[in-house]
Amino acid sequence: MLDIKRIRENFDEVAEGLRRRGASLEGAERARDLDARRRALVMQSDELKTLRNSRSKEIGALKKAGQDTAAVQADVRAIGDQITALDAQLREIETDLEAAMLLIPNVPCATIPTGPDASANRVARVVGEPPAFAFKPLDHIALNERLGLFDLPRGAKLTGSGFPLLQGAGSKLQRALIQYMLDMHTERHGYTEMLPPFVVNSASMRGTGQLPKMAEDMYHCEIDDLWLIPTAEVPVTNVYRDEILDRPLPIYLTAYTPCFRREAGSAGKETRGILRVHQFDKVEMVKFVEPETSYAELETLVANAEEVLTSLGLHYRVLELCSGDISFSAAKCYDIELWAPGQQAWLEVSSCSNFEDFQARRLNCRYRDANGKTRLVHTLNGSGVALPRLMIAILEQCQQADGSVLLPEALRPYLRGLERLEPQAK
RNA sequence: GGAGGGGUGUCUGAGUGGUUGAAAGAACCGGUCUUGAAAACCGGCGUGCCGCAAGGUACCGGGGGUUCGAAUCCCUCCCCCUCCGCCA
């Protein structure tokens, strides 16, 4: 959520930002108008309340003195009726204002490229080399047919399409990767590990911005009004919702969780294999930082995610997303894409964003600065990284001529002697 | 799921309808004193909204209600504790 004062006082600057995104100005204009009406009503209502309070105190005094209070009571009652009417109007306006504010996206950072969509994204860097093959590399689906790491038909039988059943070396590799990443972030990058609930309430979903817009993309348990998390960002960022932090900033948190996404509307698109599924595992990093530091913190966040990939010897690139391609809440965002030689495609495995105070305002998450003044924190998060596509990239980049997959050295301690994924006899 | 108890500021904790944003103590910050520290003493010490400001207003788990007036009464929801039941 944007600062209403920013819309009030710097409307042109906000409008320019929204235009760069290709977003409509309608919401911001509406918010500006509702805000003006709200302030006028608040003034009226507060004045009447002042009057009511002072006259009510008179009644107390009169009663103590044993005098008749009927006339004053009638007066105050009339004032109270006016207040009730004004406050009803006010509530309506505030509800509308809140609704409008929740639908206005963040203003993009001034330095990011301007453009309408992904075509304007800037390649920040390409790291490593694509592996050279003396044979035609297979994609992860073909590789899996020999290796037997995941069983999609049986996953579909258990639940439905898009719910992979990992098995044998596949599940072991997955588990090793999760622990490898968590260890790296906690031991080397200074993050504290969290293992949060995988199901959250609506207030948490609003806090990070999934609600109200993304309700259709999430799994919802009606009876309890609880939601399956689409990313660990939700529970981990909400840890400090409605708090004034007394811990020194920055705070770095990391968590492994499964992620549940309905992916409504994306049926048939990039859905082969485990590229896009309804349930997947991910290690997430979340930062709570002082505003002045958030852009420097974004760079180290990306570096933390990249180290997972470089340490595994994988070829990837980093994109700086343009104004038209960043997500609703983000001011600036880097995507990390792994190279998948089997399908000759770049696969997004991480999205690292600085939300500035956009999430913090919804979350109501503040800290005390050096002068003891409360200020909104800046929040950031990034995947570190998502598992299925990491698995795909490892399979496709590390495949060998004999159909096996030679696993990265760095994972060996986590695989208890497993060095190579071997074709399975059917 | 059943029965009971409870949710007040950073913490402990008073407050059962009237000038209470809230006693008292602790913690914390500033000052005096001290070679320094402690102690003692003095002062400060919640958050949001409106306002140029003075100031006003709202908030005692959330929401709603009664009343001229609610931290205090009523309804409802949430959370915590104890006991019983069920259960991985």
Side-chain angles (χ1 to χ4, degrees):
Chain A
M1 193 155 65
L2 291 176
D3 186 355
I4 186 65
K5 287 189 198 124
R6 191 170 173 192
I7 291 176
R8 190 189 300 159
E9 290 162 16
N10 299 305
F11 187 82
D12 292 345
E13 176 239 326
V14 171
E16 173 56 21
L18 296 179
R19 249 182 248 120
R20 288 179 67 211
R21 263 184 183 274
S24 153
L25 295 189
E26 205 181 312
E29 283 165 353
R30 187 169 157 69
R32 182 182 56 182
D33 297 343
L34 286 167
D35 174 58
R37 289 171 59 197
R38 182 185 71 93
R39 285 188 298 152
L41 279 175
V42 164
M43 265 195 272
Q44 277 187 58
S45 173
D46 277 5
E47 262 172 47
L48 285 171
K49 281 172 184 165
T50 308
L51 188 60
R52 176 176 67 182
N53 287 344
S54 66
R55 303 229 60 194
S56 275
K57 284 175 185 173
E58 280 175 34
I59 294 173
L62 286 173
K63 285 213 159 155
K64 256 180 200 156
Q67 298 185 28
D68 177 63
T69 59
V72 189
Q73 283 193 30
D75 258 22
V76 178
R77 161 157 275 211
I79 297 168
D81 289 345
Q82 289 182 61
I83 292 173
T84 304
L86 278 178
D87 281 355
Q89 277 184 60
L90 192 57
R91 247 201 312 279
E92 204 174 304
I93 286 175
E94 281 177 343
T95 306
D96 291 351
L97 178 58
E98 172 89 358
M101 292 296 288
L102 287 178
L103 295 176
I104 302 171
N106 203 355
V107 172
C109 170
T111 64
I112 70 173
T114 298
D117 52 43
S119 65
N121 293 342
R122 200 171 63 82
V123 177
R125 55 189 164 274
V126 179
V127 177
E129 297 291 329
F133 296 107
F135 55 95
K136 185 172 171 12
L138 300 174
D139 70 16
H140 78 284
I141 296 166
L143 286 164
N144 184 61
E145 274 168 26
R146 305 180 183 185
L147 301 171
L149 305 173
F150 49 90
D151 185 335
L152 298 181
R154 289 200 175 100
K157 176 172 72 179
L158 296 176
T159 308
S161 104
F163 290 89
L165 167 66
L166 295 182
Q167 58 190 13
S171 47
K172 183 173 193 159
L173 175 58
Q174 180 96 345
R175 189 157 51 81
L177 285 166
I178 291 166
Q179 187 148 348
Y180 175 70
M181 292 189 277
L182 285 174
D183 283 352
M184 176 179 288
H185 297 319
T186 55
E187 291 167 15
R188 301 184 50 180
H189 300 148
Y191 291 76
T192 301
E193 182 178 347
M194 311 291 262
L195 186 53
F198 302 158
V199 177
V200 300
N201 56 33
S202 295
S204 293
M205 285 299 185
R206 269 192 298 276
T208 32
Q210 279 71 24
L211 288 179
K213 280 196 89 168
M214 313 283 277
E216 293 304 306
D217 292 315
M218 300 189 293
Y219 291 96
H220 183 222
C221 176
E222 298 274 343
I223 294 180
D224 299 301
D225 191 23
L226 295 174
W227 305 79
L228 270 61
I229 57 171
T231 160
E233 167 195 347
V234 178
V236 175
T237 310
N238 273 280
V239 164
Y240 296 117
R241 167 157 52 86
D242 291 323
E243 292 193 29
I244 297 175
L245 298 172
D246 49 11
R247 289 179 52 178
L249 297 177
I251 296 171
Y252 297 169
L253 304 177
T254 185
Y256 150 74
T257 70
C259 302
F260 303 91
R261 300 187 180 179
R262 292 190 63 234
E263 299 290 355
S266 60
K269 201 166 103 187
E270 295 183 341
T271 50
R272 279 174 33 87
I274 55 172
L275 193 57
R276 182 184 295 275
V277 286
H278 292 306
Q279 178 184 327
F280 63 94
D281 291 319
K282 179 158 64 67
V283 169
E284 184 77 4
M285 300 174 285
V286 175
K287 290 183 170 188
F288 300 81
V289 308
E290 294 190 52
E292 290 72 19
T293 66
S294 65
Y295 280 95
E297 293 282 2
L298 177 61
E299 298 302 319
T300 57
L301 181 69
V302 179
N304 294 156
E306 286 185 67
E307 192 177 333
V308 171
L309 309 183
T310 50
S311 68
L312 294 174
L314 297 171
H315 174 50
Y316 67 92
R317 67 179 186 179
V318 178
L319 301 179
E320 183 180 349
L321 299 195
C322 75
S323 56
D325 202 32
I326 55 176
S327 69
F328 182 81
S329 304
K332 179 169 181 171
C333 180
Y334 290 105
D335 273 5
I336 303 177
E337 298 185 332
L338 274 171
W339 176 243
Q343 46 196 295
Q344 293 286 301
W346 293 101
L347 307 181
E348 181 188 332
V349 283
S350 177
S351 199
C352 298
S353 307
N354 183 1
F355 303 102
E356 299 186 352
D357 62 13
F358 190 86
Q359 277 187 331
R361 190 168 291 105
R362 286 180 177 235
L363 285 165
N364 190 27
C365 177
R366 293 164 295 168
Y367 75 106
R368 284 185 209 285
D369 67 14
N371 301 318
K373 194 169 143 45
T374 58
R375 298 175 67 192
L376 292 165
V377 301
H378 279 195
T379 60
L380 303 92
N381 70 50
S383 339
V385 299
L387 271 297
R389 293 175 189 174
L390 174 60
M391 173 97 87
I392 291 172
I394 290 173
L395 297 182
E396 296 192 14
Q397 287 194 30
C398 303
Q399 61 183 298
Q400 308 293 309
D402 64 1
S404 70
V405 170
L406 186 61
L407 293 166
E409 290 275 353
L411 282 179
R412 302 281 165 78
Y414 292 87
L415 288 167
R416 307 180 65 81
L418 181 66
E419 293 179 7
R420 192 181 284 268
L421 301 172
E422 305 279 2
Q424 301 293 299
K426 286 252 166 154

